[in-house]
Amino acid sequence: MLMHLTPTSLPRPHSLSELGLAADFDPLIGLSEFTYRRGSEIYGEKEPAEYIYQVKSGTVRSYKLLSDGRRQINAFHVPGDVFGLTYGGNHRFTAEAVADTTLRLIKRESLTAAAENDGTLTRDLLRMTTTNLRHAEDHMLLLGRKTSMERVAAFLIEMDRRLTAAGILALPMPRRDIADYLGLTIETVSRSLSYLRELGVIRFIDNNQRHIVLVDKQQLAVFDRQN
Amino acid sequence: MLMHLTPTSLPRPHSLSELGLAADFDPLIGLSEFTYRRGSEIYGEKEPAEYIYQVKSGTVRSYKLLSDGRRQINAFHVPGDVFGLTYGGNHRFTAEAVADTTLRLIKRESLTAAAENDGTLTRDLLRMTTTNLRHAEDHMLLLGRKTSMERVAAFLIEMDRRLTAAGILALPMPRRDIADYLGLTIETVSRSLSYLRELGVIRFIDNNQRHIVLVDKQQLAVFDRQN
DNA sequence: CGGTAACTTGAATATTTTCAACGTGTGTGG
DNA sequence: CCACACACGTTGAAAATATTCAAGTTACCG
């Protein structure tokens, strides 16, 4: 039987109980919480994957580097998201805390072992991997074919959908991260945001006019006429 | 039985059940074969996914469109590749034959049904999905952060790896497809190829100096110092 | 044989990046 | 508690890169 996928494009809240683990693991061994300070590394690219993670609070960036330092951020992980799945034995990205972040850790070993004789669990892994894939597919379209304005608008729409609480969108990541997620420079991101602000499509309401933003979703959608 | 389809003649296969869907099939060994003429559509974006496919011969392009016609080709599928996996019920891309192409079709329904009580099969789906994901991840880095020269070099390296036979690389797709795969224009692709040719890194050996190419992998790698 | 599709090349243009300067919060150490 | 360094962001101007527009070539197909 087919499971129904949510219309979201990034790992949406997948509770660990959905992984079929909640009932039968030892919380002292299988599951633990850990807090990472802003900027600290959670795991490195090509490192053996020991755990998978779920964001309890905070935000995580996941990225690849080129040898000369160019960086492509693949995804931001916000509360509820599961990340660090690899299937193969090694991580394909570096993951870092964007802000102070608390994660739940699950020993990967116990997970793959359990998946051996639990088809439901394997299907959950498949579903989560598919969710990641769908996000990557959409992001390829953005990176390959959208203009800077469209990218920034799409970013705001995505973040609004994923982490707006009480009508308020608080962007946890600096411009540098937004730029590296969108395949742009910080200056281009800044100019695009300024332009949207001038047009009244967005409005910053925090002290330094940077992080807390009110967005007009409908007007924003005009700047990223999806597809 | 092999049928030959044109874009205007018979629609895509509707009644594969007629072709004898056995209870005991191996998903990777095809049930039925179908031939698509160059340029014809295999399935459309958002269409319900009825089959998954394996390329027997030919090449397939998989892409998304923006409303104004901008196109991002996500992947090329060459002989041996399996494509059209969706997990969810609908295709997320349009797939077309780049050249005349023969595919093996597997009814998706029977596959997911079989996966219900076959953990090995589900793990195979997970593995294939992970392979797609890894490719998408690498392609995001290319689209977001690489220069046009690096993209073209990376493309040639990828194609050399995937479809070189007897030291000869025959590119089945036109420049337009290469451009839409790499997030560039045809002119930029053409100029990059010309430059590599001038430098002696590649050499076209077919009559019209376009499709059959000898590549110096080592020199090429210099232009896409991977990561 | 003529029309067309595909490709290449050149020149002008557009977009984004780079370089540079400057502002503003924040947090730390004196 | 203040001063000051620093990280972060914005804006302007110059430069680089890729795109767009245009013209011309070649192979292929009917």
Side-chain angles (χ1 to χ4, degrees):
Chain A
M1 144 179 184
L2 286 173
M3 307 203 57
H4 221 68
L5 290 171
T6 64
T8 60
S9 56
L10 253 202
R12 281 278 76 186
H14 294 132
S15 73
L16 291 179
S17 52
E18 283 183 327
L19 292 177
L21 280 180
D24 54 5
F25 70 89
D26 182 343
L28 296 178
I29 295 175
L31 178 71
S32 53
E33 281 190 11
F34 214 89
T35 296
Y36 295 80
R37 293 266 283 285
R38 169 217 250 247
S40 62
E41 180 175 308
I42 296 157
Y43 53 77
E45 192 174 346
K46 288 170 186 169
E47 233 173 75
E50 260 198 280
Y51 302 95
I52 68 167
Y53 306 83
Q54 185 181 35
V55 181
K56 192 186 173 193
S57 68
T59 304
V60 172
R61 61 177 165 250
S62 171
Y63 64 84
K64 282 176 185 287
L65 284 180
L66 292 174
S67 54
D68 60 1
R70 280 173 289 174
R71 184 178 67 157
Q72 179 61 42
I73 293 180
N74 193 63
F76 293 109
H77 306 294
V78 302
D81 292 349
V82 172
F83 69 97
L85 292 171
T86 65
Y87 190 77
N90 295 75
H91 287 295
R92 296 189 298 270
F93 295 99
T94 300
E96 288 173 354
V98 169
D100 290 356
T101 297
T102 299
L103 302 177
R104 298 197 182 89
L105 282 67
I106 302 114
K107 249 204 158 17
R108 187 171 167 279
E109 180 187 289
S110 59
L111 191 70
T112 48
E116 277 302 308
N117 33 23
D118 183 350
T120 305
L121 183 47
T122 307
R123 271 189 292 282
D124 284 339
L125 292 175
L126 176 56
R127 180 171 45 74
M128 289 189 284
T129 303
T130 299
T131 301
N132 289 342
L133 178 57
R134 183 163 41 230
H135 179 267
E137 291 164 350
D138 292 341
H139 210 57
M140 280 190 279
L141 177 61
L142 179 148
L143 294 171
R145 285 298 179 223
K146 290 188 179 178
T147 66
S148 58
M149 281 298 304
E150 291 170 332
R151 293 180 201 205
V152 170
F155 171 76
L156 290 171
I157 292 168
E158 180 190 353
M159 288 305 142
D160 180 71
R161 175 173 54 72
R162 293 177 60 205
L163 46 73
T164 285
I168 302 256
L169 171 57
L171 296 173
M173 69 291 285
R175 299 290 187 265
R176 157 79 49 206
D177 286 354
I178 299 175
D180 286 347
Y181 180 59
L182 299 178
L184 300 171
T185 59
I186 54 175
E187 293 93 336
T188 300
V189 170
S190 182
R191 283 184 243 274
S192 301
L193 289 172
S194 295
Y195 186 55
L196 289 173
R197 184 166 35 70
E198 282 164 28
L199 293 179
V201 177
I202 62 174
R203 200 177 137 208
F204 290 98
I205 59 173
D206 56 329
N207 283 339
N208 52 8
Q209 302 283 304
R210 282 174 194 178
H211 295 303
I212 317 289
V213 56
L214 297 179
V215 307
D216 181 330
K217 292 188 215 185
Q218 286 214 305
Q219 278 198 65
L220 256 190
V222 175
F223 289 88
D224 177 39
R225 107 186 120 282
Q226 311 277 47
N227 57 355
Chain B
M1 160 173 100
L2 282 176
M3 303 190 64
H4 218 66
L5 282 183
T6 69
T8 46
S9 72
L10 268 178
R12 276 156 288 123
H14 285 327
S15 54
L16 269 184
S17 44
E18 295 168 1
L19 297 177
L21 199 51
D24 53 359
F25 67 92
D26 178 332
L28 297 187
I29 308 294
L31 294 173
S32 52
E33 286 189 5
F34 222 90
T35 296
Y36 296 80
R37 291 267 285 284
R38 171 219 249 247
S40 62
E41 181 176 307
I42 297 158
Y43 54 77
E45 191 174 346
K46 290 170 183 166
E47 233 174 74
E50 263 198 279
Y51 304 94
I52 69 168
Y53 307 83
Q54 186 180 35
V55 181
K56 192 186 175 194
S57 68
T59 303
V60 172
R61 61 177 166 250
S62 169
Y63 64 85
K64 281 177 184 288
L65 284 180
L66 292 174
S67 54
D68 61 1
R70 281 173 288 174
R71 183 179 66 157
Q72 179 60 43
I73 293 180
N74 192 65
F76 293 108
H77 306 293
V78 302
D81 293 349
V82 172
F83 70 97
L85 291 172
T86 66
Y87 192 80
N90 295 75
H91 286 296
R92 298 189 298 270
F93 295 98
T94 300
E96 290 172 354
V98 169
D100 290 358
T101 296
T102 299
L103 303 178
R104 298 194 181 91
L105 282 68
I106 303 107
K107 237 197 169 11
R108 187 171 167 279
E109 181 187 289
S110 57
L111 189 71
T112 49
E116 275 303 305
N117 33 23
D118 183 350
T120 305
L121 185 46
T122 307
R123 270 190 291 283
D124 282 342
L125 292 175
L126 177 55
R127 184 172 39 72
M128 287 188 286
T129 303
T130 299
T131 300
N132 290 342
L133 179 56
R134 186 165 31 234
H135 180 267
E137 291 165 349
D138 291 341
H139 210 56
M140 280 191 278
L141 177 61
L142 178 148
L143 294 171
R145 285 299 179 225
K146 290 188 179 179
T147 65
S148 58
M149 280 299 302
E150 290 170 333
R151 294 180 200 205
V152 171
F155 170 77
L156 290 171
I157 291 169
E158 180 190 352
M159 288 304 143
D160 180 71
R161 175 172 53 75
R162 293 178 61 203
L163 47 72
T164 284
I168 302 256
L169 171 58
L171 297 174
M173 70 290 287
R175 298 290 187 265
R176 157 79 48 206
D177 287 353
I178 300 175
D180 286 346
Y181 180 60
L182 299 178
L184 300 171
T185 59
I186 54 174
E187 293 92 335
T188 300
V189 169
S190 182
R191 282 184 243 274
S192 300
L193 288 172
S194 294
Y195 186 54
L196 289 172
R197 184 166 34 70
E198 282 166 27
L199 293 179
V201 177
I202 63 175
R203 201 178 136 208
F204 289 98
I205 58 175
D206 56 327
N207 283 338
N208 52 7
Q209 302 284 303
R210 282 173 195 180
H211 295 302
I212 316 289
V213 55
L214 297 179
V215 307
D216 181 329
K217 293 188 214 184
Q218 285 214 305
Q219 277 198 67
L220 212 42
V222 175
F223 289 87
D224 177 40
R225 95 189 132 286
Q226 310 278 51
N227 58 357

